[in-house]
Amino acid sequence: MSTANYVIGVDYGTDSVRSVLVDTANGKEISASVFLYPRWQKGLYCKPSINQFRQHPLDYIEGLEHTIKDCLAKAGGQEIAHLVKGISIDTTGSSPVAVDEKGIPLALTPGFEENPNAMFVLWKDHTAVKEAAEINEHATKFSTNYLKYVGGIYSSEWFWSKLLRILRVDSSIKKAAKSWVEHCDWIPFLLCGGKDAKEIKRSRCAAGHKALWAEEFDGLPPEEFFSSLDPLLTGFRSLLFKDTYTSDVSAGTLSSEWAERLGLDTSVAIGVGAFDAHMGAVGGQIEPYFLSKVMGTSTCDILVAPNQDMDGKLISGICGQVNGSVIPGMAGLEAGQSAFGDVYAWFKNLISWPLNNLLTESALIDEATAVALKAELEHKIIANLSKQASELPDEDYAELAIDWLNGRRTPDANQELKGGITGLSLGTDAPRFFRALAEATCFGAKSIVDRFKEEGVPVKGIIGIGGVAKKSAYIMQMMADILEMPIRIHRFEHTCALGAAMFASVVAGIHPTVEAAMAAMGTGFEKEYQPNLKKRKMYREHYHKYQSLGRYLERHNNKEYQPYLA
């Protein structure tokens, strides 16, 4: 009889959910499965022109069931299923939803099925810019600084901004909502068969970084803070939570309903959830003072430090510092960029306009060939742009861009900011434009590293994880050159899911601590990019210009005056 123990890490991303079945003895991937959200793929419930991005809970439920069952089937079915001891989940965030008294998202209840306000408000939804600004102004009226642990600036991407926005624009949600729940808290509650919203175990990670929860406040800020912000919030605080839990804590065990649906046993332990980058940092074997960068559509940058080192130290302009949000017993510090891979995707879509709009109308090829040709060319665009950009001479470098195409997350959150580019000429072609965008995203990364250093937190090196880190040698080498420090790329392909699996192994009692799980299940690094010191002077000069252009754009970022730079 096998003595092997397996766990499942579930990673909910922006476009899809991925589950990975992992051997707890060595971190080996036994099987993996990915599920693209079907409603999201169709663009349902989203309005990019107003930065509205919503996801239906059915996408999450269907993906959860499909990927776990697919993992088990690929690995051997029931022969493997009885060896699964734990499941842990990471998600995007802040991605909250309004729920009823049973903890059911309102979109799953009669009358709300097609209401975007009853769905999960995705992390990249920026419809609450006005509400975030009001929270920031309101916080100045109190003797206690309730924003001190979230970098001093509250963001439209976060919990309370989104809650207030939804209550203001939709009275039906205000009437029906009995609580407001993060995606990473709801999935474990669902798997455990929860029936009471008050019993949801809330993630320390989500609550501390996005919802103003702090140990110093003994929970959330007081009722007066919220009711005086807007009467719509009166009493809502009491519907939420006081206690939070680190992700090495069990949320319960698999319910009989979900055990039957998945083909697993009801003894399977379910862990308290967390955000993807925080679990990804664990999967990527984070060390104190090494910055873990999860590089996908956006970036989420995670650094851990011993609590004693952070005593009395508050880092301004980041996305929070929370005891135990990454590794229990250590301070977790979060930063990030609102757009990273999204910047490259935007440019690809921009220059693909003829492919998307004209190719299928061609009289020279049939529709099937046109569709196949479009897919082939789109797949090659970024790789070929990267190759040609890398061959451009350094002295021919007029274009300069700002990467705030989706606002700025850190340092100093401001989601109203816009991107820009200058230095354009008739000689600017697609590779030169792409190079400027790539450089801008790397400068955005440098501004985060610089903020940590300015605030007295050393950054010893970079750990790169995520799609861009694995796939783009051009971006990673440029980033190493600009940061002037090495970047290690983690070997495991699905690092966030691996981190979730590590937490699952602790929750299931297989490994005693997160550190022990990292030591046993970590798979190491596949590559290290070393900075090219010959480019140091050039990039330092460009970075100075980037900062100057950024300050200019920020000064003139208002509705009355939006400069066009060319």
Side-chain angles (χ1 to χ4, degrees):
M1 183 177 178
S2 175
T3 58
N5 290 310
Y6 299 118
V7 289
I8 296 173
V10 182
D11 170 35
Y12 280 94
T14 300
D15 299 319
S16 63
V17 56
R18 184 184 306 277
S19 291
V20 178
L21 180 68
V22 177
D23 188 332
T24 61
N26 51 22
K28 179 183 177 182
E29 177 185 306
I30 305 303
S31 60
S33 178
V34 65
F35 177 89
L36 297 172
Y37 307 134
R39 297 160 188 82
W40 174 259
Q41 293 297 311
K42 296 176 182 177
L44 300 180
Y45 317 117
C46 298
K47 296 180 180 179
S49 62
I50 60 169
N51 292 310
Q52 176 182 303
F53 298 97
R54 310 291 164 83
Q55 290 185 329
H56 202 291
L58 286 176
D59 276 354
Y60 297 160
I61 295 171
E62 292 166 6
L64 180 69
E65 182 171 2
H66 173 87
T67 56
I68 291 180
K69 290 170 73 172
D70 192 39
C71 273
L72 295 173
K74 289 176 177 176
Q78 279 304 117
E79 201 172 302
I80 292 294
H82 78 277
L83 300 175
V84 175
K85 306 301 181 185
I87 301 173
S88 282
I89 292 94
D90 71 71
T91 73
T92 66
S94 179
S95 298
V97 70
V99 299
D100 67 11
E101 66 277 359
K102 294 181 180 179
I104 301 173
L106 294 185
L108 298 178
T109 64
F112 292 98
E113 296 92 340
E114 299 298 316
N115 184 342
N117 297 323
M119 300 173 191
F120 284 89
V121 185
L122 192 64
W123 65 270
K124 66 191 287 185
D125 187 297
H126 291 165
T127 53
V129 168
K130 177 176 178 288
E131 285 69 22
E134 290 180 27
I135 291 171
N136 285 311
E137 191 279 328
H138 184 67
T140 65
K141 301 174 183 177
F142 292 81
S143 58
T144 298
N145 180 6
Y146 292 111
L147 305 185
K148 66 187 341 183
Y149 293 108
V150 294
I153 302 173
Y154 205 73
S155 169
S156 63
E157 293 184 341
W158 298 350
F159 187 91
W160 286 103
S161 302
K162 292 175 173 177
L163 167 58
L164 181 54
R165 176 67 180 175
I166 296 298
L167 295 183
R168 283 177 170 175
V169 300
D170 197 327
S171 59
S172 67
I173 301 294
K174 165 63 178 171
K175 183 177 179 180
K178 300 303 179 185
S179 194
W180 187 250
V181 181
E182 283 285 358
H183 184 191
C184 69
D185 294 334
W186 182 68
I187 297 295
F189 176 75
L190 175 73
L191 287 174
C192 293
K195 302 296 182 185
D196 185 347
K198 295 177 182 177
E199 296 179 359
I200 298 175
K201 283 190 173 179
R202 307 290 186 138
S203 160
R204 171 75 58 86
C205 170
H209 285 286
K210 312 298 182 186
L212 298 179
W213 180 94
E215 292 169 297
E216 181 184 324
F217 310 151
D218 194 28
L220 298 168
E223 168 67 19
E224 181 191 2
F225 180 86
F226 300 108
S227 60
S228 60
L229 171 63
D230 191 309
L232 285 172
L233 293 176
T234 300
F236 219 95
R237 178 184 181 276
S238 63
L239 299 176
L240 296 176
F241 54 90
K242 176 182 177 182
D243 298 324
T244 65
Y245 302 86
T246 53
S247 294
D248 59 336
V249 174
S250 172
T253 55
L254 195 61
S255 70
S256 56
E257 176 192 349
W258 273 96
E260 184 176 349
R261 288 174 73 165
L262 300 175
L264 294 171
D265 193 84
T266 55
S267 64
V268 173
I270 308 298
V272 169
F275 290 149
D276 45 11
H278 298 72
M279 284 193 171
V282 169
Q285 296 172 266
I286 194 169
E287 302 173 42
Y289 299 114
F290 277 77
L291 190 65
S292 169
K293 290 184 68 69
V294 180
M295 290 176 267
T297 54
S298 66
T299 77
C300 197
D301 302 353
I302 303 295
L303 186 145
V304 295
N307 279 326
Q308 60 269 25
D309 291 3
M310 296 302 299
D311 188 27
K313 186 180 293 185
L314 292 170
I315 311 304
S316 67
I318 65 171
C319 304
Q321 54 194 79
V322 181
N323 175 22
S325 66
V326 183
I327 297 175
M330 298 189 76
L333 285 70
E334 177 190 347
Q337 294 165 261
S338 291
F340 193 77
D342 267 354
V343 174
Y344 319 138
W346 166 80
F347 186 61
K348 183 185 79 170
N349 290 335
L350 182 71
I351 63 176
S352 297
W353 190 91
L355 296 179
N356 295 327
N357 293 275
L358 301 178
L359 194 60
T360 55
E361 299 177 9
S362 172
L364 301 178
I365 56 176
D366 60 70
E367 184 175 352
T369 303
V371 171
L373 181 59
K374 174 178 176 291
E376 179 188 20
L377 293 177
E378 282 188 335
H379 181 70
K380 294 179 177 179
I381 286 175
I382 296 297
N384 280 273
L385 280 172
S386 297
K387 181 178 184 299
Q388 292 192 32
S390 69
E391 295 170 353
L392 293 171
D394 288 343
E395 61 271 14
D396 181 17
Y397 215 148
E399 297 82 12
L400 180 72
I402 298 295
D403 55 315
W404 302 331
L405 273 69
N406 197 27
R408 184 179 64 208
R409 181 178 295 159
T410 49
D412 304 320
N414 187 341
Q415 302 307 156
E416 293 188 283
L417 294 176
K418 306 298 181 184
I421 186 164
T422 187
L424 298 177
S425 72
L426 293 177
T428 300
D429 57 13
R432 283 175 169 80
F433 204 122
F434 179 75
R435 176 178 61 177
L437 293 175
E439 185 186 56
T441 57
C442 293
F443 284 154
K446 179 172 172 55
S447 68
I448 292 171
V449 171
D450 286 356
R451 175 56 59 91
F452 279 121
K453 291 179 177 179
E454 291 161 5
E455 298 283 326
V457 177
V459 178
K460 297 181 179 179
I462 307 295
I463 296 172
I465 62 180
V468 178
K470 298 281 284 187
K471 297 175 183 177
S472 181
Y474 173 65
I475 301 294
M476 289 301 97
Q477 184 59 58
M478 179 183 283
M479 184 175 290
D481 296 344
I482 287 172
L483 296 181
E484 299 178 22
M485 62 177 65
I487 301 176
R488 291 183 291 174
I489 307 301
H490 200 265
R491 178 175 287 111
F492 202 90
E493 185 176 356
H494 316 304
T495 320
C496 293
L498 176 60
M502 290 175 177
F503 277 104
S505 75
V506 178
V507 170
I510 298 166
H511 295 299
T513 64
V514 175
E515 291 90 338
M518 290 169 66
M521 300 170 66
T523 58
F525 302 90
E526 65 182 14
K527 189 170 186 178
E528 184 168 322
Y529 293 91
Q530 294 291 335
N532 182 350
L533 298 182
K534 293 180 181 179
K535 294 180 180 284
R536 175 187 290 176
K537 182 176 183 292
M538 176 188 72
Y539 280 130
R540 286 184 176 183
E541 291 175 352
H542 286 199
Y543 183 57
H544 178 72
K545 294 177 182 177
Y546 167 88
Q547 291 176 302
S548 297
L549 179 58
R551 285 191 293 268
Y552 177 82
L553 284 176
E554 192 162 6
R555 281 197 307 271
H556 297 288
N557 184 69
N558 58 63
K559 294 180 180 178
E560 288 73 35
Y561 178 60
Q562 286 283 1
Y564 172 74
L565 299 174

